[in-house]
Amino acid sequence: AVRVVRNGQVSTIPPFGGVVTYHAIGIAAHHDGSFIVADYSTTDGRGVVHRLREVGGVWVNQTLVGPTSGNNSPLKGPQGLVVDVAGNILGTDRLLNFVFRIEAGTNAFSIFSGNGTARWADGPQATSMFKDTNAVAIDSRGHLVVTNHRIRRISPEGVASTFAGDGVKRTADGVGPSSSFDDPAALAIDAGDTLYVGEIAGRVRIVYANGVVRTLIATSTNEFSLRAPCSIARISSPHGFAWGSPTFGTTQSLYIVE
């Protein structure tokens, strides 16, 4: 389901145009006021990307990528979504192991990076490889940042490179490939291109622009703290990060969904 929190009230967007989201797992706000939703593996085993727009109090759905009139979708497990400054939609497919692009204006679908092989390899689209990708974000230079057990950067030309992490499923601070990540599931970037990475076990890691990785919140637990310094704070399974401020001009902060 897709839920809306507005003026202190929570509501559910009703089935739109006869279309039901079966496993809505990713959402991104578009510059045009619409919302982009990733629908992970529908009843026919394919993935769908929806555009939801509220018109006169009624939610209208547009299927950007997905089965139409019996045609197969090129997606199976779309998950992370982000919109670049030009309005292009970029996302990860966790099951098909690539990063896709939906072009602004035409909604043309293309594979932006990754050849579909479930491994890790840097390089251009034809030779780069991804595995278990989830969260995505865009830095100030237009590079797409993707998480798995590594932090990968993809240039505007679709060339992938490893920025941090050695691919080993563990938590270890360090610099660049000497660091390790344990199931990163959330990602945010601040104005200085510092990355905030949430590990599913309840840790928050920081990756600075120079590649230095350190742990901000280290207490791994199923509990959480209402208020505490980072050194002793507890969070439980972070699944979404956002960097910003609730009011224009106020101090920006990291917001966590757990």
Side-chain angles (χ1 to χ4, degrees), residues 122-236:
D122 293 336
Q125 185 271 315
T127 58
S128 60
M129 302 178 194
F130 294 84
K131 181 181 180 182
D132 297 333
T133 53
N134 40 46
V136 293
I138 293 180
D139 68 17
S140 64
R141 296 182 297 166
H143 289 83
L144 188 68
V145 182
V146 180
T147 64
N148 42 34
H149 295 309
R150 293 175 170 89
I151 307 300
R152 312 278 298 280
R153 275 179 173 165
I154 306 173
S155 73
E157 294 74 36
V159 179
S161 60
T162 299
F163 181 58
D166 58 5
V168 179
K169 186 181 181 297
R170 61 181 180 179
T171 298
D173 293 344
V175 180
S178 69
S179 60
S180 302
F181 296 86
D182 183 5
D183 281 339
L187 179 66
I189 302 180
D190 68 15
D193 284 342
T194 297
L195 309 179
Y196 298 85
V197 182
E199 295 181 342
I200 203 69
R203 301 179 190 88
V204 178
R205 316 287 299 285
I206 293 182
V207 186
Y208 295 100
N210 60 2
V212 173
V213 179
R214 71 179 183 88
T215 303
L216 177 64
I217 299 176
T219 305
S220 180
T221 177
N222 289 327
E223 300 177 354
F224 65 93
S225 305
L226 291 179
R227 187 179 182 90
C230 287
S231 59
I232 61 172
R234 298 178 177 182
I235 62 173
S236 176

Side-chain angles (χ1 to χ4, degrees), residues 2-234:
V2 181
R3 312 293 291 276
V4 178
V5 181
R6 181 181 295 160
N7 299 325
Q9 299 292 318
V10 180
S11 60
T12 301
I13 297 178
F16 29 84
V19 179
V20 178
T21 56
Y22 291 92
H23 192 175
I25 199 168
I27 190 168
H30 200 285
H31 315 315
D32 63 8
S34 64
F35 293 91
I36 313 302
V37 177
D39 202 355
Y40 190 102
S41 287
T42 56
T43 53
D44 64 355
R46 309 305 296 180
V48 180
V49 177
H50 305 275
R51 183 195 300 272
L52 302 182
R53 191 190 308 271
E54 191 175 21
V55 180
V58 177
W59 286 97
V60 178
N61 170 67
Q62 177 188 9
T63 299
L64 299 178
V65 178
T68 55
S69 302
N71 294 328
N72 289 328
S73 168
L75 298 174
K76 189 171 184 180
Q79 189 160 347
L81 292 172
V82 69
V83 181
D84 68 15
V85 294
N88 302 302
I89 301 162
L90 296 114
T92 61
D93 193 304
R94 187 179 177 89
L95 298 182
L96 295 182
N97 307 300
F98 57 64
V99 178
F100 63 89
R101 181 177 185 266
I102 302 172
E103 187 175 347
T106 65
N107 297 329
F109 175 90
S110 62
I111 296 176
F112 182 62
S113 190
N115 63 12
T117 304
R119 295 176 59 190
W120 294 291
D122 293 336
Q125 185 271 315
T127 58
S128 60
M129 302 178 194
F130 294 84
K131 181 181 180 182
D132 297 333
T133 53
N134 40 46
V136 293
I138 293 180
D139 68 17
S140 64
R141 296 182 297 166
H143 289 83
L144 188 68
V145 182
V146 180
T147 64
N148 42 34
H149 295 309
R150 293 175 170 89
I151 307 300
R152 312 278 298 280
R153 275 179 173 165
I154 306 173
S155 73
E157 294 74 36
V159 179
S161 60
T162 299
F163 181 58
D166 58 5
V168 179
K169 186 181 181 297
R170 61 181 180 179
T171 298
D173 293 344
V175 180
S178 69
S179 60
S180 302
F181 296 86
D182 183 5
D183 281 339
L187 179 66
I189 302 180
D190 68 15
D193 284 342
T194 297
L195 309 179
Y196 298 85
V197 182
E199 295 181 342
I200 203 69
R203 301 179 190 88
V204 178
R205 316 287 299 285
I206 293 182
V207 186
Y208 295 100
N210 60 2
V212 173
V213 179
R214 71 179 183 88
T215 303
L216 177 64
I217 299 176
T219 305
S220 180
T221 177
N222 289 327
E223 300 177 354
F224 65 93
S225 305
L226 291 179
R227 187 179 182 90
C230 287
S231 59
I232 61 172
R234 298 178 177 182

Side-chain angles (χ1 to χ4, degrees), residues 231-251:
S231 59
I232 61 172
R234 298 178 177 182
I235 62 173
S236 176
S237 300
H239 282 81
F241 279 0
W243 178 266
S245 61
T247 306
F248 180 76
T250 61
T251 302

